Amino acid sequence: MVTVDVEEERKEIIRRYRKLLRKAKPFLKDNDAKLIKKAFYTSLEAHRGMRRKSGEPYIYHPLEVAQICVDEIGLGTTSIVAALLHDVVEDTEIELDEIEKDFGPKVAKITDGLTKISGVFDHGSSQQAENFRKMLLTLSEDVRVILVKLADRLHNMRTLDSMPRHKQLKIISETIYLYAPLAHRLGLYVIKSELEDLWLKYTEPEVYNEVAAKIDESKISRNRFIRSFLNPVLDEMNKSGLKYEFKGRPKSIHSIWNKMKKQNIPFEEVYDLFAIRITLDTDKETEKAICWHVYSIVTDFYKPNPDRLRDWISTPKANGYESLHTTVMSKTGKWVEVQIRTKRMDEIAEKGYAAHWKYKDSPSGSHESGLEQWISHVREMLEQNDTNAIEFVDDFRANLFNDEVFVFTPKGELKTLPYGATALDFAFDIHTEVGAKCLGAKVNNKLVPINHELKNGDQVEILTSSKQKPNEDWLRFAVTSKAKSKIKDTLKESKKESAIDGKEIVKRKLKQMKVPFDGDVANQLRAFFDEKTVTDFYYKVGKGLIDPSEIKKYKDLKTDKIKSERPRKSDRAFIDDIKKVGTSEKDILLIGEDMDRVDYKLSKCCNPIPGDDVFGFVTVNEGIKVHRTTCPNAPELLSNHGNRVVKSKWMSQQQTSFLAHMRIIGTDRVGLIRDVTDIISRELKVNMRSMTIDTETGIFDGHIMLYVNSTKHLDQLIKKLEKVPGVMKVTRHDESSQNDE
Ligand code: MN
C-alpha cells in the first residue's frame, strides 16, 4: 500500500483547481469565478474520501473533465460547473434539486443528463442502447450534455491503465462504437483521433507501440522534408505580405494503422503519413480569396492531383469543417497533402461544435446550417420513439459514419444527405408525404427509379403518384434513418388496416357458416392457419394471402376431427399453376448434408426459382421450406434459428416453369406495352399470368407475373426487355410484404 501524504495531496488538489481557473479566466464574466469555486468545493466535499481505481483522490477526475471542457472543447462556465458536479448526484448523497437550487436549472439539467447516462451501462446491452438514446435526447435540448460526456469519456480513456481488463474492454468498445464517431460527427477532430488511438492502444498494444515509435523516429527527417518543401512557397507568401503559421501534422496512429491494414502495406509505404497545414491569419471577409491565393502559390511549384482537391470552404462538411485540401507531387516524387485554412477555420476544425457556435453570430455565417441540420435530424429520429433502442443506435451509428453527398432541389436549394442516399431518401427529406408517394425522380432531367443513388451536384425532382404506397422493399432502397423509420411507420399502419379488413371478412364468413365469433374461435383459427398472432391471421386474410373459403375447412376439420396435414391453399395453387405449364418436377432441389431429395415447399416470401442461392428451413408444421438467401426474412431465420437451417442446392435447371414477379419501369410512350408483351409472349415463348400497369405522371410502372425456367432464363428476358426503347429498369420483384417461415 502506498502511504498518502494528506497535506501534499490537499495542495495538489488546490493546484489543479487553480490551473482550471487560470485556463477559464479569459471567458469568465461577473459571477462566474464564484460559481466555479462553489461547484469545486461542493464536489470536493461530496467526493471526500473517495478514490479512483488508481488510488488518486476522486476529485482529480471531475477537475480533469472540467479542464478538458475548457481547453480542448472550448466550453464555458455552465459546462465547467456541470463537469465538476457530473458524478455528484450519481455517486454521493447530494440530490438533483439541491444542485438546481445552488447552481440553477441549466446546470441541473446537464448534470441530470449525465447522471442518467452513467451507471446504466453496467446492465444489459439493450439497456445501454436505451441509455444512449436518452443521452441523445438531450442533444436537441442542450448539446453540452454530450460534450461534457465526451470529456468524461476521454478522461476515463486516458486513465484506463488502472482498470481491470474486462472493464477496459467494455469501455474501449463503447468508445469505438459510439463515442469516437459521435465526436467525429460533432467535429471534435482532435478528441476523436485521441479516442481512436487509445482504443488501438488497449486493443493491439504492440501495433500501437510500433507505429508510435516509427512516427517518432521519422520526426527529424519529416521536419527537414517539410522545410525544404515549403521554402519556395513561404518565400512567395512573404512577398504577398501574408500572415501565417505552418506545421506538419502526422496522421493519427489509428488512421495510419487503418491504412496499413486496408492496403496491406508496411508503415514505410503509407504515403500520407502526415499533412502540411498552412493556417492563415486573415479577416473573415477576405478568407476565401486568400485561401485560394495560397492554393495557387502551392500549385505553381507543385503539380496537384486533380482527383484530390477538396473544397470544404465553399461547401463545409455537415459537422462544420472548413478547409481547402490539395495533394501535390513533391520534388522527391512523393505525394503530399497540403491543407489551407484560416485561424477561424482551424479552431472549428480542432474544437468543433463549441468553436463553431462561437462564430455563429458573425454576419456571413450562412453555412452554419450543416450541424444545426444534423441536430434537427437527430431530434426527428428521436421523436419516432417506437423504434427499439438497439435498432435506433445501429441506424444512428450508420449515419454517423457516412460521408455526405450534396444535392439540389429543382429550385437550387442545397440538401445534404448521407453518402449512398437514394432518390427515395431525398423524397423523404423533402417531406414525409412526398416520400410516401414517391414514384421515381428526375435526376438532372433524366428519369430514374426510386432506388437511384444520388451523386454530388445532382439536381433532383421527385415524381409522385397518389396511388403509390411504400412496401417492404423500400427499406432496402433508403439509407437515412428518417426515411426508414417513416417507411416502417407506414407499413405498420397499412398492416393494421389490412388486419381490420381481414377481421371483417372472417366475421362475415363465420356468420355464413353459423359459427358464433369470439376470442376462442379467433384463436383456433390462428392455430389452424399456423399464424403467430391473431392479428397476423387477420392481416393475411385482409391481404388475400389466406383464402376466406379456407375458413370453412377449419369447421370441417373441427367436425370431422380429421388430423391430416392441411396444405396451404396458396402453396397448392402455386404448385397447380406450375403443373399447368409444361412438365413439373419439383424434386430437383437437394437438401441437407447428404444432399438428399427431400420433400420441400418453396416459401412465398421470396419465390425461389432454380438457380437461386437458397437454404432450407425446418418449419413446425409444414416440413422444409426453401428460401432465397437474399430473402428479407433470411437474416432473422439464419441468425435466430440457425439450428433449423438445412443446406440446399439446386441440382440442375430442368424444364420446369416457375412463377416470377417482374417489375418494369420506364417512360410511357405509345406502343410501349405492346413492345413489352411482344417480347414476353412471342420472342421467348414465356407465359404471362398477370400484368398490371400504372402510367401516371409519365412513368410506366408495370408488374408482371410470368413463368420462367430458371434465373438464367429470367436474366435473358430482363436483358431483352431493358433494350426496349423507353424501358429504364427491369427488376425481379420479391413479394416480401409477408412473413412466411
Ligand atoms: Mn465521470
Side-chain angles (χ1 to χ4, degrees):
M1 273 270 100
V2 190
T3 43
V4 179
D5 182 339
V6 178
E7 198 41 46
E8 195 45 50
E9 216 169 63
R10 180 96 197 155
K11 278 187 197 154
E12 177 60 25
I13 292 170
I14 298 298
R15 255 200 301 278
R16 290 184 185 217
Y17 162 64
R18 291 216 174 105
K19 188 173 150 215
L20 172 68
L21 270 188
R22 212 164 42 243
K23 291 279 184 182
K25 210 171 171 194
F27 311 101
L28 299 185
K29 290 183 301 245
D30 327 326
N31 255 340
D32 287 358
K34 248 187 175 166
L35 204 62
I36 293 173
K37 186 175 176 185
K38 193 159 122 195
F40 166 66
Y41 281 105
T42 305
S43 182
L44 182 64
E45 191 51 39
H47 292 296
R48 177 181 297 282
M50 291 168 67
R51 290 187 179 274
R52 304 196 83 210
K53 279 260 160 22
S54 60
E56 289 177 336
Y58 195 87
I59 190 71
Y60 285 7
H61 171 63
L63 274 169
E64 285 303 321
V65 175
Q67 181 89 21
I68 292 170
C69 286
V70 180
D71 254 10
E72 297 174 54
I73 310 183
L75 294 170
T77 305
T78 309
S79 310
I80 294 171
V81 170
L84 286 170
L85 298 170
H86 83 269
D87 281 331
V88 162
V89 177
E90 182 76 19
D91 298 341
T92 78
E93 310 271 271
I94 294 181
E95 299 290 336
L96 198 63
D97 44 0
E98 295 173 58
I99 304 262
E100 175 151 3
K101 204 176 76 217
D102 290 348
F103 299 96
K106 267 189 200 163
V107 171
K109 189 123 210 154
I110 298 173
T111 316
D112 186 34
L114 292 162
T115 305
K116 276 188 231 144
I117 300 151
S118 57
V120 189
F121 279 131
D122 292 332
H123 306 292
S125 62
S126 72
Q127 186 87 41
Q128 169 179 331
E130 191 55 64
N131 216 28
F132 183 74
R133 184 183 152 123
K134 262 186 211 153
M135 174 172 85
L136 287 171
L137 211 49
T138 61
L139 178 74
S140 46
E141 280 175 35
D142 197 329
V143 74
R144 284 175 295 193
V145 178
I146 312 261
L147 297 173
V148 177
K149 180 66 199 172
L150 280 168
D152 181 32
R153 175 53 53 132
L154 180 59
H155 186 244
N156 287 334
M157 285 290 285
R158 284 176 182 170
T159 51
L160 265 187
D161 265 340
S162 38
M163 283 285 170
R165 184 64 183 160
H166 71 277
K167 282 237 169 116
Q168 283 181 351
L169 287 175
K170 199 158 94 76
I171 293 172
I172 61 173
S173 8
E174 282 167 13
T175 301
I176 203 70
Y177 189 74
L178 284 170
Y179 290 101
L182 192 59
H184 173 72
R185 202 59 180 75
L186 289 169
L188 296 157
Y189 178 77
V190 178
I191 290 183
K192 172 226 169 198
S193 302
E194 188 177 345
L195 288 175
E196 285 175 343
D197 280 0
L198 286 165
W199 171 80
L200 184 63
K201 183 177 167 188
Y202 288 95
T203 311
E204 295 199 52
E206 294 91 31
V207 181
Y208 174 89
N209 290 332
E210 187 195 314
V211 176
K214 285 192 167 160
I215 291 176
D216 209 38
E217 277 165 32
S218 55
K219 196 174 170 187
I220 295 170
S221 67
R222 182 166 62 239
N223 285 341
R224 198 183 303 130
F225 172 84
I226 291 169
R227 268 276 163 206
S228 73
F229 174 90
L230 276 181
N231 261 338
V233 174
L234 298 184
D235 277 352
E236 216 39 52
M237 285 173 67
N238 291 336
K239 275 186 213 156
S240 305
L242 294 171
K243 273 184 264 164
Y244 58 85
E245 277 167 32
F246 70 89
K247 58 181 166 186
R249 290 196 78 259
K251 294 273 160 81
S252 76
I253 297 174
H254 179 263
S255 73
I256 292 172
W257 167 78
N258 239 340
K259 279 182 184 148
M260 290 164 60
K261 213 176 56 168
K262 252 195 213 143
Q263 298 165 28
N264 195 21
I265 48 174
F267 177 88
E268 288 70 24
E269 280 171 36
V270 178
Y271 85 89
D272 49 353
L273 285 170
F274 64 94
I276 294 177
R277 180 177 301 165
I278 301 173
T279 311
L280 296 149
D281 194 350
T282 175
D283 297 340
K284 182 91 170 82
E285 288 69 44
T286 51
E287 58 178 21
K288 191 172 170 186
I290 288 180
C291 287
W292 282 103
H293 179 55
V294 173
Y295 170 83
S296 132
I297 295 174
V298 171
T299 51
D300 277 346
F301 293 99
Y302 305 105
K303 204 138 199 65
N305 181 337
D307 293 336
R308 298 193 55 93
L309 174 65
R310 299 284 180 272
D311 174 12
W312 283 305
I313 294 181
S314 307
T315 318
K317 286 192 188 182
N319 64 13
Y321 185 87
E322 292 172 73
S323 195
L324 185 60
H325 294 191
T326 177
T327 300
V328 299
M329 182 52 80
S330 68
K331 298 264 163 3
T332 54
K334 270 204 291 192
W335 289 109
V336 179
E337 183 182 309
V338 184
Q339 307 175 343
I340 303 162
R341 56 173 73 158
T342 64
K343 264 181 142 168
R344 180 190 68 82
M345 297 173 191
D346 194 48
E347 198 176 337
I348 291 173
E350 302 263 303
K351 289 186 180 167
Y353 188 83
H356 182 87
W357 200 60
K358 194 167 113 190
Y359 289 105
K360 209 176 104 175
D361 37 39
S362 67
S364 55
S366 61
H367 49 234
E368 43 135 305
S369 54
L371 190 65
E372 305 290 322
Q373 224 179 60
W374 180 69
I375 287 174
S376 80
H377 271 180
V378 172
R379 192 183 301 133
E380 276 170 26
M381 276 163 68
L382 291 161
E383 275 160 10
Q384 281 120 32
N385 44 18
D386 62 333
T387 42
N388 89 39
I390 293 182
E391 217 172 274
F392 169 81
V393 170
D394 282 348
D395 272 3
F396 181 78
R397 206 179 145 267
N399 276 352
L400 283 176
F401 273 123
N402 284 335
D403 274 330
E404 292 119 10
V405 286
F406 301 100
V407 293
F408 297 93
T409 67
K411 286 185 179 156
E413 192 193 330
L414 179 75
K415 293 266 172 200
T416 312
L417 293 168
Y419 184 81
T422 60
L424 192 59
D425 288 304
F426 183 90
F428 274 100
D429 193 75
I430 301 272
H431 196 278
T432 309
E433 274 307 297
V434 176
K437 302 276 172 238
C438 180
L439 193 66
K442 279 184 179 171
V443 169
N444 308 326
N445 282 323
K446 247 184 74 192
L447 213 50
V448 299
I450 57 174
N451 61 347
H452 177 84
E453 202 175 294
L454 301 175
K455 294 195 186 58
N456 271 328
D458 279 349
Q459 190 157 30
V460 188
E461 182 187 346
I462 295 299
L463 304 169
T464 58
S465 155
S466 57
K467 286 187 194 150
Q468 183 67 306
K469 262 199 290 189
N471 62 48
E472 300 245 342
D473 284 348
W474 284 27
L475 292 172
R476 287 186 286 120
F477 300 160
V479 303
T480 56
S481 334
K482 182 178 176 181
K484 280 188 177 172
S485 66
K486 294 285 182 196
I487 295 166
K488 280 182 200 158
D489 285 353
T490 337
L491 290 175
K492 249 186 241 162
E493 224 17 75
S494 78
K495 190 166 179 180
K496 256 187 236 158
E497 278 166 26
S498 299
I500 292 171
D501 293 347
K503 191 173 177 180
E504 278 313 305
I505 295 170
V506 171
K507 276 186 182 169
R508 241 179 293 144
K509 197 76 204 169
L510 288 172
K511 206 171 169 192
Q512 282 172 18
M513 288 155 51
K514 301 198 167 43
V515 177
F517 174 82
D518 61 24
D520 279 350
V521 172
N523 204 33
Q524 282 166 14
L525 280 164
R526 176 205 60 80
F528 178 74
F529 286 97
D530 191 25
E531 295 299 335
K532 276 196 201 114
T533 67
V534 176
T535 313
D536 285 346
F537 165 63
Y538 290 150
Y539 166 73
K540 287 201 176 169
V541 175
K543 269 273 172 186
L545 303 169
I546 291 176
D547 191 328
S549 61
E550 286 280 303
I551 294 173
K552 215 169 149 267
K553 296 216 178 102
Y554 145 81
K555 197 190 162 193
D556 297 345
L557 192 80
K558 247 180 97 177
T559 43
D560 299 350
K561 294 196 167 56
I562 297 167
K563 280 187 181 163
S564 68
E565 198 187 318
R566 178 195 61 85
R568 278 191 177 193
K569 160 75 175 142
S570 38
D571 278 352
R572 240 182 26 204
F574 178 50
I575 292 161
D576 287 349
D577 283 335
I578 292 169
K579 282 184 177 156
K580 271 184 231 152
V581 193
T583 53
S584 160
E585 210 193 304
K586 67 189 187 84
D587 286 339
I588 50 163
L589 187 77
L590 302 180
I591 289 179
E593 283 307 315
D594 305 324
M595 289 285 142
D596 282 337
R597 290 182 167 211
V598 183
D599 248 9
Y600 63 90
K601 282 177 183 165
L602 299 169
S603 73
K604 282 179 301 177
C605 46
C606 53
N607 285 344
I609 60 175
D612 277 339
D613 207 1
V614 290
F615 65 92
F617 189 78
V618 183
T619 64
V620 181
N621 294 312
E622 296 185 272
I624 293 171
K625 281 214 162 185
V626 175
H627 294 260
R628 287 161 69 184
T629 48
T630 54
C631 171
N633 297 321
E636 211 265 327
L637 297 177
L638 292 169
S639 57
N640 294 347
H641 312 283
N643 53 332
R644 289 163 62 188
V645 171
V646 286
K647 210 153 88 181
S648 305
K649 202 178 170 214
W650 299 102
M651 187 174 68
S652 67
Q653 293 163 16
Q654 304 192 3
Q655 279 302 308
T656 311
S657 292
F658 285 84
L659 190 62
H661 181 179
M662 223 168 48
R663 183 163 183 209
I664 303 180
I665 296 173
T667 39
D668 194 28
R669 62 168 174 84
V670 180
L672 180 68
I673 297 178
R674 199 200 53 224
D675 290 353
V676 166
T677 48
D678 262 11
I679 289 194
I680 293 173
S681 55
R682 208 172 312 147
E683 280 200 28
L684 288 153
K685 304 199 168 44
V686 178
N687 285 317
M688 194 160 29
R689 195 175 83 166
S690 72
M691 172 149 131
T692 53
I693 285 155
D694 184 0
T695 56
E696 220 169 289
T697 67
I699 290 193
F700 173 96
D701 186 356
H703 290 257
I704 299 171
M705 303 286 281
L706 40 73
Y707 294 102
V708 292
N709 295 331
S710 65
T711 44
K712 209 171 140 199
H713 186 187
L714 189 60
D715 286 346
Q716 278 171 358
L717 185 62
I718 288 176
K719 269 193 198 123
K720 286 237 174 183
L721 287 171
E722 273 176 341
K723 287 200 183 116
V724 174
V727 169
M728 281 163 11
K729 201 167 170 95
V730 184
T731 45
R732 177 166 168 204
H733 199 64
D734 307 321
E735 282 189 299
S736 52
S737 55
Q738 43 185 306
N739 197 322
D740 182 350
E741 267 197 0

